Amino acid sequence: MAESIVFTKHAERSQIYKEILPQLEALIAGETDLTANLANIAAVLREAFGFLWVGFYLVREGQLVLGPFQGPVACTRIESGQGVCGHAYESRKTVIVPNVHEFPGHIACSSRSLSEIVVPMFNDDGSVFGVLDVDSERLDDFADVDARSLEAIVRLIEKLPR
Ligand code: SME
């Protein structure tokens, strides 16, 4: 297993995503435990981009329950439709929020979070089994490149045993 992640510091974000994707693939290839893999993926994304919070919420009996993450303490349970995470879960779509203060129902786990992106993760039958949530201390920090790249990472996660 790789012990560290190598990427070009200060490169364009698209370049860093390109560099870390194959390393993430290699990192999770040798491990079948979902929790272990999600924990390492959260660590890599936080290290590579310095995001405020990177983590996962997993569906448990219709609710999103906090999973592996890196960053400040977070709320543990989110109902479908609530907040940005619950909205992505319900709508089954990637949600980018440029300014969390303008998103009705945003759940403020940290007052330092200003923008957010949430990507749903799908089972083979099309149901959602969780979401990847990333928070930034910068306004309008997420663009199409983040959506596409985080979705590519989620596609890797969906292939893991659960
Ligand atoms: N802000 C999220 C809640 C989770 S935290 O950001 C870690 C939301 O509105 O769903």
Side-chain angles (χ1 to χ4, degrees), residues 53 57 74-75 78 82-86 105-109 116 133 135:
W53 197 94
Y57 283 87
C75 51
I78 299 173
Q82 272 191 350
V84 187
C85 290
H106 168 254
I107 302 163
C109 288
E116 182 162 355
D133 178 17
D135 285 60

Side-chain angles (χ1 to χ4, degrees), residues 91-107:
S91 68
R92 306 161 49 80
K93 293 206 168 80
T94 296
V95 180
I96 292 179
V97 178
N99 180 350
V100 297
H101 299 302
E102 290 174 0
F103 186 91
H106 168 254
I107 302 163

Side-chain angles (χ1 to χ4, degrees), residues 10 35-36 40 42-43 46 70 86 89 97-98 125 134 136 139 141 147 152:
H10 313 300
T35 304
N40 264 342
R46 190 148 190 252
Q70 294 265 320
Y89 173 30
V97 178
D125 67 2
V134 184
S136 171
L139 274 176
D141 201 14

